Amino acid sequence: MTTETDLRLECLGKEKAGVLYGVGLGPGDPELMTLRAARLIGGADVVAYPALVGGESLARSIAAEFISDGTAEIVVEIPMTAERPPAQAAYDVGAALISTALWAGKDVVYLCEGDPFFYGSFMYLHARLSSDFQVEVVPGVTSVAACAARSGRPLVARNERLMVLPGPLSEDELRIRIEGAESVAIMKVGRHLAKIRRVIDGLGLVDRAVYIERASLPNEVVCPLAEAPENAPYFSMILLTKGADPWL
Ligand SMILES: C[S@@+](CC[C@H](N)C(=O)[O-])C[C@H]1O[C@@H](n2cnc3c(N)ncnc32)[C@H](O)[C@@H]1O
């Protein structure tokens, strides 16, 4: 069966449609962006990026100095809710806007904080657009790597295993997983800080945990978990290393 997409590709020739680049920007400091990311952003016909409805886009602010004058911009507005359907509807709208630019032969660079395929919103656009268009993913420095660097502690050594946990997990699940783990990176801390702190305290591991907020940005905070502020922003992480220090 010939689909609408097949017909469009036949008319246009796939090589004439634009290319979609999902570009990792690293954790915040523009100096942590790859050379490839900077080059693609500077040469883009169109840049697209996520922003909370009515809010600033961290991704755009990281890339700002590399965006050339005259580059068109597509904002994918994400509603402020943990519910999945409204966010998925926002990615439908974003994918439609991006595909219009791609069908017109424009290359689109989608800006992603950190790495695009590591808890990155780019994956929702990739799922919607990769069957119709050529897509290239450019990896970026993840927040886990950046937070480990700023904490001054190696994350894993020798044959240790690293577990990555999202803060929204239940208290019980966090306890069970942290208990069975060696090194742990807890992401999306934000409003879950008190719960995570209770779990780590209860396991007697508070001395092994470091709190990092906005790693590599001007308002960065790095401190032992015991000294972390009451309220954490969304861009915060806890790193916990249980293994023996590798230099011992
Ligand atoms: C949706 S995930 C995006 C992860 C990103 N794609 C990456 O590769 O690191 C958002 C979470 O990443 C972590 N994060 C991202 N940037 C950070 C930073 N600069 N400092 C601390 N944590 C950060 C936080 O835990 C935040 O809640």
Side-chain angles (χ1 to χ4, degrees), residues 12-92:
L12 191 66
K14 190 156 187 163
E15 72 282 358
K16 288 194 191 146
V19 177
L20 174 61
Y21 296 93
V23 169
L25 304 171
D29 180 347
E31 286 199 355
L32 294 176
M33 205 183 283
T34 62
L35 296 175
R36 186 166 178 74
R39 180 174 62 73
L40 287 169
I41 294 164
D45 299 317
V46 181
V47 292
Y49 46 84
L52 285 178
V53 172
E56 294 287 299
S57 165
L58 175 61
R60 194 197 184 284
S61 72
I62 298 171
E65 67 190 85
F66 299 97
I67 300 174
S68 304
D69 290 346
T71 304
E73 301 193 19
I74 294 174
V75 186
V76 178
E77 288 203 304
I78 314 298
M80 267 182 277
T81 167
E83 301 298 314
R84 280 181 66 77
Q88 292 306 313
Y91 291 118
D92 287 342

Side-chain angles (χ1 to χ4, degrees), residues 101-113:
L102 293 169
W103 283 125
K106 311 270 186 212
D107 288 343
V108 178
V109 171
Y110 188 82
L111 307 173
C112 315
E113 192 270 335

